[in-house]
Amino acid sequence: MAIRKKSTKSPPVLSHEFILQNHADIVSCVAMVFLLGLMFEITAKASIIFVTLQYNVTLPATEEQAAESVSLYYYGIKDLATVFFYMLVAIIIHAIIQEYVLDKINRRMHFSKTKHSKFNESGQLSAFYLFSCIWGTFILISENYISDPTILWRAYPHNLMTFQMKFFYIAQLAYWFHAFPELYFQKTKKEDIPRQLVYIGLYLFHIAGAYLLNLNHLGLVLLVLHYFVEFLFHISRLFYFSDEKYQKGFSLWAVLFVLGRLLTLILSVLTVGFGLARAENQKLDFSAGNFNVLAVRIAVLASICITQAFMMWKFINFQLRRWREHSTFQAPTVKKKPTVTKGRSSRKGTENGVNGTVTSNGADSPRNRKEKSS
């Protein structure tokens, strides 16, 4: 009797590319679950925690401020659920920009793998920085930050926020948290992952610190300033990929980068070192959200100064590398001197060839010498 061999075929497994192509669909389905939960009374209370902002307080109207009551917000543990939901929204928007904008440009330009990844990174970040700058500037104008800079430290702690202010911080935290799964979805190279983790961690550390320490006014101004400079860099890099002769944007960015670091240090020292240091209430009070004590002020200024120094160090290394590449590219090539054989004058060699090199059509070619001898 013939013995049947057992089948060694393994069961079908979902490929990594399949997961990457469909991650946006999976995330959108999860987000739709929370939205559909608002339609049913049983799940509405749980879904509201994820979709809408929590911890609102309604202040009664006064004669000095406004004729209507004002709704303000403070932070709490439920904000983590809201950040999670809008992190899913950020992943969906990221996939839409990638598929319908960046991928189409990549197909037309035919970038290499290195340029392809950098182009995608700059395309995503430039869109986010532009949107955040416009949104943050709108908040600064609407809340009179520009006309009255003392609002940065006056009436601290700033534990009550407007809807736009709190939603801005929730969106910022959600975007930078979404960058972690995007490292997997975008198939980031292993050598690029440490660099990505460093700057994602720095963003989350400073944004969460300003949010939790009730320094949201100062944090908003510094974020708008920093995002504007970073937007200029990434938009310049996008133009550079389309035309490598384009260098004007980088020159302008280099000047604004240094000015941005100086303004960040000036505003931080002015707000934390002088404004909060002269405030009357300098007691640590977790219930009131007051962190205006010497140790916290020193920690805040130290973290800002160390971060600015780290960014300047990276900036100087970047500029030195660019200057070296530019000088190497423009270095003139050394021309070899023509070798002159003995017994021949340079004039004769010039007449018979080009730059001293004898050609086969010259008078001293082997064929002509044979004809002369005959």
Short mmCIF file of all heavy atoms in Angstrom, two decimals, residues 210-249:
data_model
loop_
_atom_site.label_atom_id
_atom_site.label_comp_id
_atom_site.label_asym_id
_atom_site.label_seq_id
_atom_site.Cartn_x
_atom_site.Cartn_y
_atom_site.Cartn_z
N ALA A 210 4.20 71.56 29.73
CA ALA A 210 3.47 72.83 29.74
C ALA A 210 2.00 72.64 30.08
O ALA A 210 1.39 73.47 30.76
CB ALA A 210 3.62 73.52 28.38
N TYR A 211 1.43 71.53 29.64
CA TYR A 211 0.01 71.25 29.88
C TYR A 211 -0.25 70.91 31.35
O TYR A 211 -1.20 71.40 31.96
CB TYR A 211 -0.42 70.10 28.98
CG TYR A 211 -1.90 69.78 28.99
CD1 TYR A 211 -2.83 70.70 28.52
CD2 TYR A 211 -2.36 68.55 29.47
CE1 TYR A 211 -4.18 70.40 28.53
CE2 TYR A 211 -3.70 68.24 29.47
CZ TYR A 211 -4.61 69.17 29.02
OH TYR A 211 -5.95 68.88 29.02
N LEU A 212 0.61 70.07 31.92
CA LEU A 212 0.40 69.61 33.30
C LEU A 212 0.81 70.65 34.33
O LEU A 212 0.23 70.70 35.43
CB LEU A 212 1.17 68.31 33.53
CG LEU A 212 0.72 67.11 32.69
CD1 LEU A 212 1.64 65.92 32.94
CD2 LEU A 212 -0.72 66.74 32.99
N LEU A 213 1.81 71.47 34.03
CA LEU A 213 2.26 72.49 34.97
C LEU A 213 1.50 73.80 34.84
O LEU A 213 1.87 74.80 35.47
CB LEU A 213 3.76 72.76 34.78
CG LEU A 213 4.70 71.59 35.08
CD1 LEU A 213 6.14 71.97 34.77
CD2 LEU A 213 4.57 71.15 36.53
N ASN A 214 0.44 73.80 34.01
CA ASN A 214 -0.39 74.99 33.79
C ASN A 214 0.41 76.16 33.23
O ASN A 214 0.12 77.33 33.50
CB ASN A 214 -1.09 75.41 35.09
CG ASN A 214 -2.14 74.41 35.53
OD1 ASN A 214 -2.90 73.88 34.71
ND2 ASN A 214 -2.18 74.11 36.82
N LEU A 215 1.40 75.84 32.42
CA LEU A 215 2.16 76.86 31.68
C LEU A 215 1.70 76.87 30.22
O LEU A 215 2.51 77.02 29.30
CB LEU A 215 3.66 76.57 31.76
CG LEU A 215 4.29 76.71 33.14
CD1 LEU A 215 5.72 76.17 33.14
CD2 LEU A 215 4.28 78.16 33.60
N ASN A 216 0.40 76.71 30.02
CA ASN A 216 -0.12 76.57 28.66
C ASN A 216 0.02 77.85 27.85
O ASN A 216 0.14 77.81 26.63
CB ASN A 216 -1.58 76.10 28.69
CG ASN A 216 -2.38 76.78 29.78
OD1 ASN A 216 -2.59 77.99 29.74
ND2 ASN A 216 -2.81 76.01 30.77
N HIS A 217 0.02 79.02 28.49
CA HIS A 217 0.19 80.28 27.76
C HIS A 217 1.59 80.36 27.17
O HIS A 217 1.77 80.66 25.98
CB HIS A 217 -0.06 81.47 28.68
CG HIS A 217 -1.48 81.57 29.14
ND1 HIS A 217 -1.94 82.58 29.96
CD2 HIS A 217 -2.56 80.78 28.88
CE1 HIS A 217 -3.24 82.42 30.19
NE2 HIS A 217 -3.63 81.33 29.55
N LEU A 218 2.59 80.11 28.00
CA LEU A 218 3.97 80.13 27.52
C LEU A 218 4.21 79.02 26.49
O LEU A 218 4.87 79.24 25.47
CB LEU A 218 4.94 79.98 28.69
CG LEU A 218 6.43 79.88 28.35
CD1 LEU A 218 6.92 81.16 27.70
CD2 LEU A 218 7.24 79.56 29.61
N GLY A 219 3.67 77.85 26.75
CA GLY A 219 3.85 76.74 25.83
C GLY A 219 3.27 77.01 24.46
O GLY A 219 3.86 76.63 23.44
N LEU A 220 2.13 77.69 24.41
CA LEU A 220 1.50 78.00 23.12
C LEU A 220 2.38 78.94 22.30
O LEU A 220 2.59 78.73 21.10
CB LEU A 220 0.12 78.62 23.36
CG LEU A 220 -0.63 79.08 22.11
CD1 LEU A 220 -0.93 77.92 21.19
CD2 LEU A 220 -1.91 79.80 22.50
N VAL A 221 2.90 79.98 22.94
CA VAL A 221 3.74 80.95 22.22
C VAL A 221 5.01 80.27 21.69
O VAL A 221 5.40 80.47 20.53
CB VAL A 221 4.10 82.13 23.14
CG1 VAL A 221 5.07 83.07 22.45
CG2 VAL A 221 2.84 82.89 23.55
N LEU A 222 5.65 79.45 22.54
CA LEU A 222 6.88 78.79 22.12
C LEU A 222 6.63 77.77 21.01
O LEU A 222 7.46 77.59 20.11
CB LEU A 222 7.55 78.12 23.32
CG LEU A 222 8.01 79.06 24.44
CD1 LEU A 222 8.73 78.27 25.53
CD2 LEU A 222 8.90 80.17 23.91
N LEU A 223 5.49 77.09 21.06
CA LEU A 223 5.17 76.11 20.02
C LEU A 223 4.94 76.79 18.67
O LEU A 223 5.42 76.32 17.64
CB LEU A 223 3.93 75.31 20.41
CG LEU A 223 4.15 74.09 21.31
CD1 LEU A 223 2.82 73.45 21.66
CD2 LEU A 223 5.07 73.07 20.66
N VAL A 224 4.20 77.89 18.66
CA VAL A 224 3.95 78.60 17.40
C VAL A 224 5.26 79.11 16.82
O VAL A 224 5.51 79.00 15.61
CB VAL A 224 2.96 79.76 17.63
CG1 VAL A 224 2.85 80.64 16.39
CG2 VAL A 224 1.58 79.21 17.99
N LEU A 225 6.12 79.65 17.68
CA LEU A 225 7.42 80.14 17.21
C LEU A 225 8.27 79.01 16.64
O LEU A 225 8.86 79.13 15.56
CB LEU A 225 8.15 80.82 18.37
CG LEU A 225 9.56 81.35 18.10
CD1 LEU A 225 9.53 82.44 17.04
CD2 LEU A 225 10.18 81.87 19.40
N HIS A 226 8.33 77.89 17.36
CA HIS A 226 9.13 76.76 16.91
C HIS A 226 8.56 76.12 15.65
O HIS A 226 9.31 75.77 14.72
CB HIS A 226 9.21 75.72 18.03
CG HIS A 226 9.94 74.48 17.64
ND1 HIS A 226 11.31 74.42 17.49
CD2 HIS A 226 9.48 73.22 17.35
CE1 HIS A 226 11.67 73.20 17.13
NE2 HIS A 226 10.59 72.46 17.03
N TYR A 227 7.25 75.97 15.58
CA TYR A 227 6.62 75.34 14.43
C TYR A 227 6.81 76.16 13.16
O TYR A 227 6.95 75.61 12.07
CB TYR A 227 5.13 75.13 14.68
CG TYR A 227 4.80 73.96 15.57
CD1 TYR A 227 3.51 73.77 16.07
CD2 TYR A 227 5.77 73.03 15.93
CE1 TYR A 227 3.20 72.69 16.88
CE2 TYR A 227 5.47 71.96 16.74
CZ TYR A 227 4.19 71.79 17.21
OH TYR A 227 3.89 70.72 18.01
N PHE A 228 6.81 77.48 13.28
CA PHE A 228 7.01 78.32 12.10
C PHE A 228 8.40 78.10 11.51
O PHE A 228 8.56 77.99 10.28
CB PHE A 228 6.81 79.80 12.46
CG PHE A 228 7.11 80.74 11.32
CD1 PHE A 228 6.23 80.85 10.25
CD2 PHE A 228 8.27 81.49 11.31
CE1 PHE A 228 6.51 81.71 9.19
CE2 PHE A 228 8.55 82.34 10.26
CZ PHE A 228 7.67 82.45 9.20
N VAL A 229 9.42 78.04 12.38
CA VAL A 229 10.78 77.82 11.90
C VAL A 229 10.92 76.43 11.29
O VAL A 229 11.54 76.25 10.23
CB VAL A 229 11.78 78.01 13.06
CG1 VAL A 229 13.21 77.73 12.59
CG2 VAL A 229 11.70 79.43 13.61
N GLU A 230 10.32 75.43 11.91
CA GLU A 230 10.41 74.07 11.39
C GLU A 230 9.64 73.92 10.08
O GLU A 230 10.04 73.17 9.19
CB GLU A 230 9.86 73.08 12.43
CG GLU A 230 10.76 72.93 13.64
CD GLU A 230 12.12 72.38 13.28
OE1 GLU A 230 12.20 71.27 12.71
OE2 GLU A 230 13.13 73.08 13.55
N PHE A 231 8.52 74.63 9.96
CA PHE A 231 7.77 74.60 8.70
C PHE A 231 8.61 75.14 7.56
O PHE A 231 8.61 74.58 6.45
CB PHE A 231 6.49 75.42 8.85
CG PHE A 231 5.82 75.72 7.54
CD1 PHE A 231 5.13 74.74 6.84
CD2 PHE A 231 5.89 76.99 6.99
CE1 PHE A 231 4.53 75.02 5.61
CE2 PHE A 231 5.28 77.28 5.78
CZ PHE A 231 4.61 76.29 5.09
N LEU A 232 9.35 76.21 7.81
CA LEU A 232 10.20 76.79 6.78
C LEU A 232 11.29 75.80 6.35
O LEU A 232 11.62 75.70 5.16
CB LEU A 232 10.83 78.09 7.29
CG LEU A 232 11.68 78.87 6.29
CD1 LEU A 232 10.85 79.28 5.07
CD2 LEU A 232 12.29 80.10 6.95
N PHE A 233 11.85 75.06 7.30
CA PHE A 233 12.88 74.09 6.96
C PHE A 233 12.33 72.97 6.08
O PHE A 233 12.92 72.62 5.04
CB PHE A 233 13.48 73.49 8.24
CG PHE A 233 14.36 72.29 7.98
CD1 PHE A 233 15.64 72.45 7.46
CD2 PHE A 233 13.91 71.00 8.25
CE1 PHE A 233 16.46 71.36 7.21
CE2 PHE A 233 14.72 69.91 8.00
CZ PHE A 233 15.99 70.08 7.48
N HIS A 234 11.19 72.41 6.47
CA HIS A 234 10.66 71.26 5.72
C HIS A 234 10.10 71.67 4.36
O HIS A 234 10.21 70.90 3.40
CB HIS A 234 9.60 70.55 6.56
CG HIS A 234 10.15 69.76 7.69
ND1 HIS A 234 10.78 68.54 7.51
CD2 HIS A 234 10.22 70.02 9.03
CE1 HIS A 234 11.19 68.06 8.68
NE2 HIS A 234 10.86 68.94 9.61
N ILE A 235 9.54 72.87 4.26
CA ILE A 235 9.06 73.31 2.95
C ILE A 235 10.24 73.62 2.04
O ILE A 235 10.18 73.40 0.82
CB ILE A 235 8.12 74.53 3.09
CG1 ILE A 235 7.22 74.66 1.86
CG2 ILE A 235 8.88 75.80 3.33
CD1 ILE A 235 6.20 73.59 1.70
N SER A 236 11.35 74.09 2.62
CA SER A 236 12.56 74.31 1.82
C SER A 236 13.14 72.99 1.35
O SER A 236 13.65 72.88 0.22
CB SER A 236 13.60 75.07 2.64
OG SER A 236 13.11 76.33 3.04
N ARG A 237 13.06 71.96 2.19
CA ARG A 237 13.57 70.66 1.78
C ARG A 237 12.72 70.05 0.68
O ARG A 237 13.23 69.35 -0.20
CB ARG A 237 13.64 69.71 2.99
CG ARG A 237 14.44 68.46 2.70
CD ARG A 237 14.96 67.81 3.95
NE ARG A 237 13.91 67.10 4.68
CZ ARG A 237 14.16 66.17 5.59
NH1 ARG A 237 15.41 65.84 5.89
NH2 ARG A 237 13.18 65.58 6.24
N LEU A 238 11.41 70.31 0.70
CA LEU A 238 10.56 69.82 -0.38
C LEU A 238 10.93 70.48 -1.71
O LEU A 238 10.98 69.81 -2.75
CB LEU A 238 9.09 70.10 -0.05
CG LEU A 238 8.48 69.30 1.10
CD1 LEU A 238 7.05 69.75 1.35
CD2 LEU A 238 8.51 67.81 0.81
N PHE A 239 11.18 71.78 -1.70
CA PHE A 239 11.62 72.46 -2.92
C PHE A 239 13.00 71.98 -3.35
O PHE A 239 13.28 71.91 -4.55
CB PHE A 239 11.62 73.97 -2.71
CG PHE A 239 10.26 74.60 -2.75
CD1 PHE A 239 9.70 75.17 -1.60
CD2 PHE A 239 9.51 74.61 -3.91
CE1 PHE A 239 8.44 75.74 -1.63
CE2 PHE A 239 8.25 75.18 -3.96
CZ PHE A 239 7.71 75.74 -2.80
N TYR A 240 13.85 71.66 -2.39
CA TYR A 240 15.19 71.19 -2.72
C TYR A 240 15.14 69.84 -3.42
O TYR A 240 15.93 69.58 -4.34
CB TYR A 240 16.02 71.09 -1.44
CG TYR A 240 17.39 70.46 -1.64
CD1 TYR A 240 18.43 71.18 -2.22
CD2 TYR A 240 17.62 69.14 -1.26
CE1 TYR A 240 19.68 70.61 -2.41
CE2 TYR A 240 18.86 68.56 -1.44
CZ TYR A 240 19.89 69.29 -2.01
OH TYR A 240 21.11 68.71 -2.20
N PHE A 241 14.22 68.97 -3.03
CA PHE A 241 14.10 67.68 -3.68
C PHE A 241 13.62 67.82 -5.12
O PHE A 241 14.00 67.03 -5.99
CB PHE A 241 13.13 66.78 -2.91
CG PHE A 241 13.70 66.26 -1.61
CD1 PHE A 241 12.88 66.07 -0.51
CD2 PHE A 241 15.04 65.97 -1.50
CE1 PHE A 241 13.40 65.60 0.68
CE2 PHE A 241 15.57 65.50 -0.32
CZ PHE A 241 14.75 65.31 0.78
N SER A 242 12.80 68.82 -5.40
CA SER A 242 12.36 69.04 -6.77
C SER A 242 13.41 69.74 -7.62
O SER A 242 13.50 69.52 -8.82
CB SER A 242 11.07 69.87 -6.78
OG SER A 242 11.28 71.13 -6.16
N ASP A 243 14.24 70.59 -6.98
CA ASP A 243 15.30 71.29 -7.68
C ASP A 243 16.47 71.45 -6.71
O ASP A 243 16.39 72.25 -5.76
CB ASP A 243 14.82 72.66 -8.17
CG ASP A 243 15.89 73.38 -8.99
OD1 ASP A 243 16.93 72.75 -9.31
OD2 ASP A 243 15.69 74.57 -9.31
N GLU A 244 17.55 70.70 -6.93
CA GLU A 244 18.67 70.70 -5.99
C GLU A 244 19.46 72.01 -6.01
O GLU A 244 20.32 72.22 -5.15
CB GLU A 244 19.61 69.53 -6.30
CG GLU A 244 18.98 68.17 -6.06
CD GLU A 244 19.98 67.03 -6.21
OE1 GLU A 244 21.14 67.33 -6.59
OE2 GLU A 244 19.62 65.88 -5.95
N LYS A 245 19.20 72.89 -6.95
CA LYS A 245 19.86 74.19 -6.98
C LYS A 245 19.20 75.17 -6.02
O LYS A 245 19.76 76.24 -5.76
CB LYS A 245 19.83 74.76 -8.40
CG LYS A 245 20.64 73.95 -9.40
CD LYS A 245 20.58 74.59 -10.78
CE LYS A 245 21.37 73.78 -11.80
NZ LYS A 245 21.31 74.38 -13.16
N TYR A 246 18.04 74.82 -5.49
CA TYR A 246 17.31 75.72 -4.59
C TYR A 246 17.97 75.69 -3.21
O TYR A 246 17.97 74.66 -2.52
CB TYR A 246 15.84 75.30 -4.49
CG TYR A 246 15.02 76.18 -3.60
CD1 TYR A 246 14.49 77.38 -4.07
CD2 TYR A 246 14.76 75.83 -2.27
CE1 TYR A 246 13.74 78.20 -3.26
CE2 TYR A 246 14.01 76.64 -1.46
CZ TYR A 246 13.50 77.82 -1.96
OH TYR A 246 12.75 78.63 -1.14
N GLN A 247 18.55 76.83 -2.78
CA GLN A 247 19.22 76.93 -1.49
C GLN A 247 18.77 78.15 -0.68
O GLN A 247 19.18 78.29 0.48
CB GLN A 247 20.74 77.01 -1.70
CG GLN A 247 21.34 75.80 -2.37
CD GLN A 247 21.42 74.58 -1.46
OE1 GLN A 247 21.35 74.71 -0.25
NE2 GLN A 247 21.57 73.41 -2.05
N LYS A 248 17.94 79.02 -1.26
CA LYS A 248 17.58 80.25 -0.57
C LYS A 248 16.76 79.97 0.69
O LYS A 248 16.91 80.67 1.70
CB LYS A 248 16.79 81.16 -1.52
CG LYS A 248 17.61 81.64 -2.73
CD LYS A 248 16.77 82.53 -3.61
CE LYS A 248 17.59 83.01 -4.82
NZ LYS A 248 16.78 83.86 -5.73
N GLY A 249 15.89 78.98 0.62
CA GLY A 249 15.06 78.67 1.78
C GLY A 249 15.88 78.23 2.97
O GLY A 249 15.57 78.60 4.12
#
